Amino acid sequence: MSTTATMGEMANSVVDFYPKQGGGGADANHAGDFGVTLDELQSLMELRGPEALQKIQESYGDVEGLCQRLKSSTSDGLSDNLIDLEKRRQTFGQNFIPPKKPKTFLQLVWEALQDVTLIILEIAAIISLGLSFYQPPGHESEGCGKVSGGVEDDGEAEAGWIEGAAILLSVICVVLVTAFNDWSKEKQFRGLQSRIEQEQRFAVVRNGNVIQIPVAEMVVGDMAQVKYGDLLPADGILIQGNDLKIDESSLTGESDHVRKSADKDPMLLSGTHVMEGSGRMLVTAVGVNSQTGIIFTLLGAGEGEEEKKEKKAKKQDGAVAMEMQPLKSAEGGEVEEREKKKSNVPKKEKSVLQGKLTKLAVQIGKAGLVMSAITVIILVLYFVIETFVVEGQTWLPECTPIYVQYFVKFFIIGVTVLVVAVPEGLPLAVTISLAYSVKKMMKDNNLVRHLDACETMGNATAICSDKTGTLTTNRMTVVQAFLNDQHFREIPDPSQINPNTLEMIVNAISINCAYTSKIIPPDVEGGLPKQVGNKTECGLLGFLLGLKRDYVPVREQIPEEKLYKVYTFNSVRKSMSTVVQMPDGSFRLYSKGASEILLKKCSGILGANGEPRSFRPRDRDEMVKKVIEPMACEGLRTICIGYRDLPCDPEPDWDNEAEIVTDLTCIAVVGIEDPVRPEVPDAIRKCQRAGITVRMVTGDNINTARAIAAKCGIIQPGDDFLCLEGKDFNRRIRNEKGEVEQERIDKIWPKLRVLARSSPTDKHTLVKGIIDSTVLEQRQVVAVTGDGTNDGPALKKADVGFAMGIAGTDVAKEASDIILTDDNFSSIVKAVMWGRNVYDSISKFLQFQLTVNVVAVIVAFTGACITQDSPLKAVQMLWVNLIMDTFASLALATEPPTEALLLRKPYGRNNPLISLTMMKNILGHGVYQLIIIFTLLFVGEKIFNIDSGRNAPLHSPPSEHYTIIFNTFVLMQLFNEINARKIHGERNVFDGIFGNPIFCSIVLGTFVMQIVIVQFGGKPFSCAPLNMEQWLWCLFVGVGELLWGQVIATVPTSHLKCLKEAGHGPGTDEMTEDEMAEDEEEIDHAERELRRGQILWFRGLNRIQTQMEVVSTFKRSGSFQGAVRRRSSVLSQLHDVTNISTPTHVVLSTANASAAPGNAGGESVP
């Protein structure tokens, strides 16, 4: 990958972010500042392993040498000198990848204009305008019969242009409103994104102190501390590492974790995940110059050329998109993920709501199209027969413009019927409702990363929650200890402990805890000290402080560089061990970990006199019974601390971990308490009432887990429930061959409440098992909370993944849909409330919109057929459309949620959008409105004693008669909007109406506008001013809607068997392959652009990787550890079908599909 060339291509588009790679002049003066140029660093970062080491030795002597050239120090990092930091940014670029430019307002206007119905209207309006200016010669051409009799006097003929102009004006209004909505949506998204990006911080050493800085402020030369769960924000070279393993699948597609060490392979790349261990790296490339940045720049360059090809590639695009999909799922697309954050393309699988809505909108659209076509045909036929057959007129050339004007008028009426029929307000309502909820959810500590997650959450039926930090406070404190053969119920006084043992404990805890874990004095006087780093380790360090000892002097005496070997904690070991070299050259290993695991490795224990004595399996069983189980039953987490002395000659084989971490001597067992958060039991009760099952999945001991679950209310005495350990769970769900069987899971999960000592794979298996289960008629919608890197697969697999904002690692946040900024379970309940609220808001809007649609379409249709003229004119229809669509969606979509939402069960995936109650409301109100309007249309002139407006000639002045119809229609909609606030048949429609100022102001605003239109609208709106009495009648009929609503509410829904629900979710079995392919093509433009960039890149990458890798991936695909992305087998078969056309891709896609399982969940990148 010749980067310099790439830089050249890119120089024009990303000028501000890094200096142009001009002639030697620029390089020369860089070298003047620092002993190394941007180019040199870049070419260095493209090397791997031994080649990289060799290059460093040849060019700089060693890493220290490179460090000096970058004017940095391995121990103290950079100074906080702002001028120096700025100079580094100038020379080596900023750690920032420029996002794609947002669409400008004009582009959004242009997109809104592409709407087909609007285009038709514009054309019709322009024709109408043109014709109205055309005066036929021989004005009084009698030959045209009664047709021309309509043109009364010149004043009226002059006004012919008004209707066309008014239509154009209202089209402009609609377009501007749509564009503005899109624009503000985009703006909100970007705000959200930048908020997520600002929250990502990283630990660097400056002036010898470790500080957390925002990722964007990192510069080349920084000394960064990397630890388990980090997502590397820049490229760098490892200076010192402990047991560091990196998941580089996002860059290479290789799912195996890569071991990194300063002496074998020190190259760390941005966008990769730290899966184990810790270390320090020297930052060598940031932003667009890092490996991820270079890929982006390539993408950026590829996009321009692709744009041109797009016109040709329209047809192939479906195929390309399909071919892309498996790559995406396998790689966890590093690119896709980063791009996803930039343009926030929603997840692929349509959310429940989107699926139902799309289907409904299409159905309504088709119906509208048919109605409008019939309307036009009937009008034209009627006119032609009336004029040429009944009256026997012949078509005269001079009459043509007049006839054409009639045809145009009919055409406009038809289009208006269509405009009103198509609910284009639906997508708007959804967007507004989601965007509004997301904004408000921020206040409830939910940071939503994928919009549809918010609505899916409303359908959740199960929550699998972590224990530590979510249900508990994550403030660990040691409350009991067993040492020197004594069980202390509280922290003992140092004098009660043998000094030898005390010394041992102080060293074992100070050295064998990550040096990043510390306890900092409280900010406020009398507050709790702050715990930084791993909370369990902080609990242990707090225990030392409670013993009146300090860990800092020990760490100063043995700094991190002097640690001989570190076995870091991971979910398989469930323990951590550190080896130090003693002054006499021998080694001592300190170990700490889960007590039942570590005690099995102990063969000795420090007795009452502080001397080791033997510790047999019999003693161990007794200790478990007398010490560990009682602690666990009180909800304490038990940690065992031990040590072992090893000889220096012969030096032990450090890689053989099983031989080294064994034969330990137990120093102490401590019980750590993590109190349940006070608000959790109440939150869990709410969930259970709302029909959501809460399950606890934890790595802790089963007794501890059971005790905490009882405190939270997850399990209640007398219930029929299961609490399993990971081992039992696996034994029960796997067959003889060790494969997971769905039937076996189905026997367990409905009753399972606590899964203890579970591995990340167990969590993933459980989530997948519940989602794939068919025991209940509704598919379960599962939410999962997680904070560790190992929770990635489960978070991805779940319908909604919640990551912890405070304790969560970057990997977990990346795999999640919603980030809980306060790590609190009760915020999940808020998310459920908001999710249900979104669903209800859409239903309210639908109920309102469909009533208007049904009535308007029927009125326009029958009116046109019977009186040759729609009672509601084009401009009036557009105004109605504006109230129904834009304003109503704003008003109804911003209803705040109430606690009452949590009293009902979830709707479920297959439930129709429009329930029977809603159908009853729609039809009931429709009937009322139709009766009123038809009464007014056919006998209105008699009731009000005014001239009839029926059969008025072309361009006649607006009649009071039709104005009353229009006015009544709009007022009925206004009052019906209040009815629409309730969709479950509640009586009180005003309940909480003043809690929603948006709703009140919109209803009042619309009413005022309506008065203005009727009284002063005149010719453009086809309105004649009404007097007081007429207004009061219109109002009376409108208020009648509210009374009629009460009548409808009295009719029991159960008796209306004839009603059918509408808007079911798309059934799984109904979807044919063609439909799926169509679905793929429907993916919005942004995603397609993004996708093409990816295709270019992945193709390039995959062709460069040799077939050898493909073969090795095949060999490995047997092991299933990880998260296969959400799309199920149907699609993967489909891809293979589509891919057959080009054999190379078949190989790649299958290879990648099989690589996916091995990729244990770290597949995503922010």
Side-chain angles (χ1 to χ4, degrees):
M1 203 188 281
S2 123
T3 17
T4 345
T6 334
M7 292 304 161
E9 291 164 33
M10 280 310 295
N12 33 18
S13 59
V14 209
V15 172
D16 325 336
F17 300 102
Y18 50 80
K20 268 199 185 161
Q21 304 282 300
D27 288 353
N29 61 29
H30 292 177
D33 302 341
F34 299 99
V36 57
T37 65
L38 181 59
D39 271 3
E40 285 173 19
L41 285 176
Q42 256 189 346
S43 52
L44 173 64
M45 287 321 291
E46 284 177 6
L47 303 173
R48 303 278 175 275
E51 300 161 11
L53 283 167
Q54 192 183 342
K55 173 87 191 236
I56 293 174
Q57 276 161 1
E58 284 169 12
S59 311
Y60 315 107
D62 58 358
V63 182
E64 283 286 343
L66 177 59
C67 218
Q68 283 158 7
R69 292 222 193 164
L70 284 170
K71 300 186 182 163
S72 176
S73 138
T74 45
S75 52
D76 295 350
L78 296 177
S79 64
D80 259 337
N81 175 352
L82 290 174
I83 302 162
D84 174 53
L85 294 179
E86 193 43 52
K87 195 165 83 183
R88 287 172 192 273
R89 281 195 195 102
Q90 294 295 319
T91 315
F92 300 112
Q94 318 176 347
N95 196 16
F96 168 73
I97 294 181
K100 270 167 108 171
K101 287 199 183 69
K103 290 187 173 140
T104 58
F105 187 67
L106 287 174
Q107 280 171 306
L108 290 169
V109 168
W110 177 243
E111 275 177 21
L113 278 169
Q114 311 289 312
D115 187 51
V116 186
T117 38
L118 286 182
I119 295 177
I120 299 176
L121 265 185
E122 288 155 27
I123 295 170
I126 292 169
I127 296 176
S128 160
L129 264 180
L131 287 171
S132 65
F133 289 126
Y134 175 81
Q135 285 298 330
H139 193 53
E140 308 305 318
S141 50
E142 289 303 317
C144 302
K146 72 167 196 179
V147 179
S148 62
V151 187
E152 279 107 6
D153 56 55
D154 291 344
E156 278 310 321
E158 303 288 272
W161 62 273
I162 296 182
E163 186 170 28
I167 294 179
L168 278 184
L169 197 75
S170 41
V171 165
I172 291 171
C173 268
V174 173
V175 165
L176 288 177
V177 170
T178 319
F180 179 73
N181 275 315
D182 286 347
W183 178 78
S184 54
K185 179 175 84 184
E186 174 97 356
K187 195 163 139 262
Q188 260 176 344
F189 257 162
R190 297 213 167 239
L192 194 67
Q193 284 317 118
S194 59
R195 157 110 194 240
I196 293 178
E197 272 155 24
Q198 280 155 13
E199 291 207 333
Q200 202 196 342
R201 296 178 157 265
F202 210 80
V204 298
V205 182
R206 296 249 172 112
N207 285 337
N209 299 323
V210 179
I211 55 167
Q212 295 273 344
I213 60 167
V215 168
E217 288 177 20
M218 289 178 78
V219 293
V220 171
D222 256 326
M223 201 47 65
Q225 293 212 328
V226 294
K227 60 178 188 313
Y228 160 80
D230 280 344
L231 191 143
L232 299 181
D235 291 355
I237 294 176
L238 187 65
I239 304 273
Q240 172 264 326
N242 304 318
D243 203 10
L244 194 62
K245 285 191 186 161
I246 306 276
D247 173 10
E248 292 191 348
S249 59
S250 55
L251 282 179
T252 60
E254 282 295 306
S255 51
D256 286 0
H257 298 171
V258 185
R259 271 207 127 97
K260 296 285 182 184
S261 60
D263 49 358
K264 291 204 181 69
D265 180 5
M267 309 312 261
L268 301 177
L269 305 176
S270 58
T272 57
H273 295 126
V274 183
M275 298 313 271
E276 259 185 55
S278 60
R280 286 165 108 156
M281 74 167 185
L282 168 68
V283 177
T284 53
V286 293
V288 283
N289 303 314
S290 66
Q291 292 300 304
T292 314
I294 290 169
I295 287 164
F296 273 115
T297 0
L298 279 174
L299 271 184
E303 259 162 26
E305 299 152 26
E306 281 293 304
E307 291 283 281
K308 302 184 192 98
K309 293 185 207 157
E310 184 182 13
K311 309 286 182 291
K312 301 177 208 157
K314 262 291 188 262
K315 266 315 324 140
Q316 307 161 342
D317 210 76
V320 176
M322 299 299 286
E323 170 197 321
M324 197 39 240
Q325 209 57 34
L327 296 177
K328 198 175 189 177
S329 57
E331 309 270 353
E334 124 97 282
V335 172
E336 166 221 5
E337 288 289 351
R338 181 72 68 98
E339 280 276 86
K340 187 194 276 176
K341 279 198 68 178
K342 294 288 182 282
S343 56
N344 219 321
V345 174
K347 285 222 183 104
K348 210 41 255 120
E349 190 178 76
K350 271 202 186 130
S351 76
V352 189
L353 189 63
Q354 279 172 322
K356 291 180 183 178
L357 280 178
T358 320
K359 208 167 164 192
L360 194 68
V362 169
Q363 287 167 348
I364 297 174
K366 282 180 187 162
L369 199 62
V370 172
M371 288 292 272
S372 63
I374 296 176
T375 313
V376 174
I377 292 168
I378 290 182
L379 283 172
V380 171
L381 282 178
Y382 196 99
F383 173 76
V384 170
I385 293 170
E386 175 81 359
T387 312
F388 300 123
V389 180
V390 180
E391 297 183 8
Q393 300 282 347
T394 46
W395 186 299
L396 299 171
E398 60 266 30
C399 300
T400 306
I402 296 179
Y403 296 148
V404 172
Q405 248 172 324
Y406 264 100
F407 289 140
V408 170
K409 178 177 147 191
F410 298 150
F411 182 60
I412 289 181
I413 292 172
V415 173
T416 348
V417 173
L418 180 64
V419 170
V420 177
V422 174
E424 62 270 41
L426 265 184
L428 188 67
V430 180
T431 314
I432 291 179
S433 174
L434 285 174
Y436 171 78
S437 307
V438 167
K439 208 167 182 170
K440 288 275 189 253
M441 281 168 81
M442 297 279 272
K443 295 198 177 79
D444 285 339
N445 304 310
N446 281 303
L447 184 77
V448 181
R449 290 186 63 232
H450 298 127
L451 265 189
D452 53 9
C454 148
E455 161 261 318
T456 312
M457 201 50 217
N459 287 319
T461 54
I463 298 176
C464 295
S465 172
D466 265 3
K467 174 178 76 74
T468 314
T470 316
L471 300 173
T472 59
T473 54
N474 205 6
R475 254 206 87 81
M476 307 277 190
T477 37
V478 172
V479 287
Q480 297 189 18
F482 178 87
L483 31 87
N484 294 145
D485 287 343
Q486 266 178 293
H487 187 161
F488 295 98
R489 294 265 161 199
E490 59 257 355
I491 292 192
D493 192 78
S495 59
Q496 295 172 281
I497 304 173
N498 178 298
N500 178 14
T501 313
L502 189 58
E503 197 50 44
M504 219 42 167
I505 279 191
V506 173
N507 284 334
I509 291 179
S510 309
I511 295 170
N512 189 29
C513 281
Y515 281 29
T516 45
S517 304
K518 328 183 174 45
I519 292 187
I520 298 174
D523 300 336
V524 267
E525 198 65 25
L528 290 166
K530 285 210 312 218
Q531 299 185 338
V532 180
N534 180 311
K535 297 295 191 270
T536 310
E537 296 186 336
C538 289
L540 292 170
L541 295 172
F543 176 53
L544 291 188
L545 300 178
L547 293 172
K548 319 274 188 295
R549 289 307 189 84
D550 194 0
Y551 59 91
V552 179
V554 184
R555 288 184 172 182
E556 280 169 355
Q557 186 190 342
I558 306 183
E560 203 169 355
E561 295 77 64
K562 284 202 186 163
L563 300 179
Y564 199 82
K565 171 80 183 160
V566 180
Y567 300 96
T568 49
F569 179 88
N570 66 22
S571 53
V572 181
R573 289 190 184 118
K574 288 209 188 304
S575 68
M576 169 177 176
S577 313
T578 305
V579 181
V580 288
Q581 196 158 15
M582 306 301 276
D584 63 1
S586 65
F587 299 102
R588 177 168 286 171
L589 165 105
Y590 292 112
S591 202
K592 68 170 192 304
S595 51
E596 60 261 48
I597 290 174
L598 219 58
L599 280 177
K600 287 188 181 136
K601 299 181 178 171
C602 286
S603 58
I605 186 168
L606 293 184
N609 55 0
E611 292 302 315
R613 62 179 171 81
S614 74
F615 182 71
R616 297 181 301 280
R618 196 173 66 237
D619 304 328
R620 182 170 69 232
D621 297 341
E622 191 180 350
M623 184 155 171
V624 168
K625 252 203 219 68
K626 295 221 169 109
V627 180
I628 291 173
E629 282 184 0
M631 281 189 188
C633 290
E634 289 173 43
L636 305 184
R637 171 182 274 194
T638 55
I639 300 280
C640 170
I641 301 166
Y643 77 98
R644 177 185 184 187
D645 285 324
L646 295 154
C648 58
D649 194 39
E651 186 169 327
D653 170 14
W654 300 116
D655 288 337
N656 187 348
E657 194 186 326
E659 286 299 308
I660 290 190
V661 187
T662 181
D663 200 14
L664 304 172
T665 304
C666 168
I667 309 172
V669 172
V670 294
I672 298 184
E673 180 182 46
D674 184 10
V676 172
R677 287 174 181 263
E679 61 280 0
V680 162
D682 187 42
I684 286 180
R685 248 195 321 280
K686 281 183 186 160
C687 281
Q688 288 161 341
R689 203 169 51 223
I692 301 171
T693 315
V694 182
R695 295 182 173 80
M696 176 157 99
V697 183
T698 173
D700 243 341
N701 174 318
I702 187 152
N703 296 328
T704 312
R706 195 184 277 124
I708 301 272
K711 282 182 191 166
C712 294
I714 291 178
I715 54 181
Q716 269 117 11
D719 279 2
D720 180 17
F721 58 79
L722 280 174
C723 292
L724 290 180
E725 278 198 341
K727 285 205 306 284
D728 298 342
F729 175 67
N730 274 311
R731 206 182 56 241
R732 291 192 185 193
I733 61 168
R734 293 177 190 276
N735 58 17
E736 297 70 50
K737 295 181 192 147
E739 294 158 353
V740 178
E741 282 189 1
Q742 187 62 43
E743 304 84 84
R744 291 176 183 237
I745 297 186
D746 288 345
K747 287 190 186 123
I748 294 180
W749 72 259
K751 289 184 183 175
L752 183 69
R753 291 294 175 272
V754 176
L755 184 59
R757 282 277 175 252
S758 68
S759 70
T761 325
D762 297 340
K763 192 171 187 176
H764 178 258
T765 312
L766 176 66
V767 172
K768 184 174 183 307
I770 297 179
I771 288 180
D772 296 345
S773 171
T774 48
V775 185
L776 309 176
E777 70 275 21
Q778 291 284 13
R779 145 144 152 52
Q780 295 279 304
V781 178
V782 184
V784 170
T785 68
D787 52 5
T789 307
N790 47 19
D791 293 329
L795 287 172
K796 268 229 164 67
K797 177 68 196 165
D799 295 285
V800 183
F802 286 92
M804 302 297 138
I806 305 167
T809 57
D810 297 343
V811 182
K813 288 182 188 168
E814 199 33 58
S816 70
D817 302 289
I818 299 181
I819 296 174
L820 295 178
T821 48
D822 61 346
D823 289 16
N824 192 335
F825 187 83
S826 61
S827 302
I828 297 180
V829 181
K830 296 256 177 54
V832 172
M833 231 158 76
W834 276 108
R836 294 187 169 190
N837 192 50
V838 168
Y839 201 97
D840 280 9
S841 297
I842 305 299
S843 298
K844 288 171 189 173
F845 173 70
L846 266 176
Q847 177 176 314
F848 173 70
Q849 164 117 42
L850 291 179
T851 313
V852 186
N853 277 9
V854 169
V855 175
V857 170
I858 292 178
V859 166
F861 177 67
T862 44
C865 298
I866 297 171
T867 68
Q868 279 74 71
D869 186 8
S870 165
L872 298 170
K873 300 290 180 290
V875 180
Q876 296 174 348
M877 287 280 215
L878 281 170
W879 163 237
V880 170
N881 212 20
L882 200 70
I883 351 178
M884 335 189 285
D885 282 357
T886 314
F887 296 153
S889 62
L890 255 176
L892 291 169
T894 52
E895 289 271 309
T898 57
E899 288 282 332
L901 289 168
L902 292 176
L903 297 176
R904 62 171 176 75
K905 299 274 178 277
Y907 282 133
R909 279 185 165 256
N910 324 357
N911 252 33
L913 260 181
I914 300 173
S915 61
L916 282 177
T917 317
M918 286 167 59
M919 211 61 176
K920 177 183 75 175
N921 289 345
I922 292 172
L923 296 178
H925 288 295
V927 168
Y928 173 82
Q929 297 184 7
L930 285 172
I931 291 173
I932 297 281
I933 287 179
F934 282 137
T935 311
L936 287 176
L937 180 59
F938 295 115
V939 292
E941 69 271 35
K942 300 194 183 75
I943 302 175
F944 288 106
N945 197 11
I946 46 178
D947 294 339
S948 163
R950 294 197 301 279
N951 297 332
L954 202 59
H955 301 319
S956 54
S959 63
E960 283 183 0
H961 182 191
Y962 273 20
T963 308
I964 291 178
I965 295 178
F966 166 58
N967 198 21
T968 314
F969 181 66
V970 171
L971 290 177
M972 287 195 295
Q973 302 321 327
L974 267 186
F975 286 101
N976 194 27
E977 194 164 338
I978 300 175
N979 276 331
R981 292 183 65 243
K982 298 285 176 252
I983 50 173
H984 296 298
E986 295 92 332
R987 288 266 174 201
N988 181 3
V989 290
F990 291 102
D991 179 33
I993 192 165
F994 297 113
N996 186 358
I998 303 184
F999 185 86
C1000 300
S1001 47
I1002 282 181
V1003 171
L1004 286 172
T1006 315
F1007 185 57
V1008 172
M1009 279 293 295
Q1010 179 64 15
I1011 295 177
V1012 172
I1013 288 176
V1014 170
Q1015 297 306 87
F1016 310 107
K1019 183 76 190 164
F1021 278 97
S1022 318
C1023 285
L1026 301 179
N1027 61 29
M1028 199 60 202
E1029 184 196 357
Q1030 290 162 337
W1031 263 103
L1032 284 173
W1033 274 109
C1034 293
L1035 263 175
F1036 168 71
V1037 173
V1039 176
E1041 265 288 0
L1042 292 174
L1043 305 171
W1044 181 247
Q1046 295 302 315
V1047 176
I1048 295 179
T1050 323
V1051 179
T1053 317
S1054 51
H1055 290 185
L1056 303 171
K1057 288 277 184 290
C1058 51
L1059 291 185
K1060 206 166 137 308
E1061 306 127 323
H1064 286 265
T1068 33
D1069 36 3
E1070 303 162 18
M1071 284 197 84
T1072 59
E1073 292 200 347
D1074 311 342
E1075 277 185 25
M1076 283 192 142
E1078 270 171 37
D1079 246 20
E1080 293 284 328
E1081 279 174 16
E1082 279 168 16
I1083 300 157
D1084 62 327
H1085 189 66
E1087 187 153 344
R1088 196 178 296 144
E1089 270 177 19
L1090 178 159
R1091 190 102 35 75
R1092 270 208 317 285
Q1094 271 175 300
I1095 294 165
L1096 270 184
W1097 182 62
F1098 275 112
R1099 273 198 203 148
L1101 199 70
N1102 275 313
R1103 289 189 183 152
I1104 295 164
Q1105 289 180 337
T1106 54
Q1107 296 300 325
M1108 261 321 292
E1109 282 179 274
V1110 176
V1111 176
S1112 64
T1113 332
F1114 269 128
K1115 284 184 192 154
R1116 265 206 319 282
S1117 64
S1119 69
F1120 177 88
Q1121 321 155 309
V1124 184
R1125 274 283 189 92
R1126 302 185 175 216
R1127 289 226 143 186
S1128 52
S1129 51
V1130 190
L1131 260 187
S1132 55
Q1133 293 157 14
L1134 188 57
H1135 298 319
D1136 291 342
V1137 175
T1138 344
N1139 289 338
I1140 287 168
S1141 52
T1142 46
T1144 36
H1145 303 314
V1146 177
V1147 180
L1148 287 174
S1149 64
T1150 19
N1152 277 308
S1154 52
N1159 179 357
E1163 339 105 300
S1164 46
V1165 170

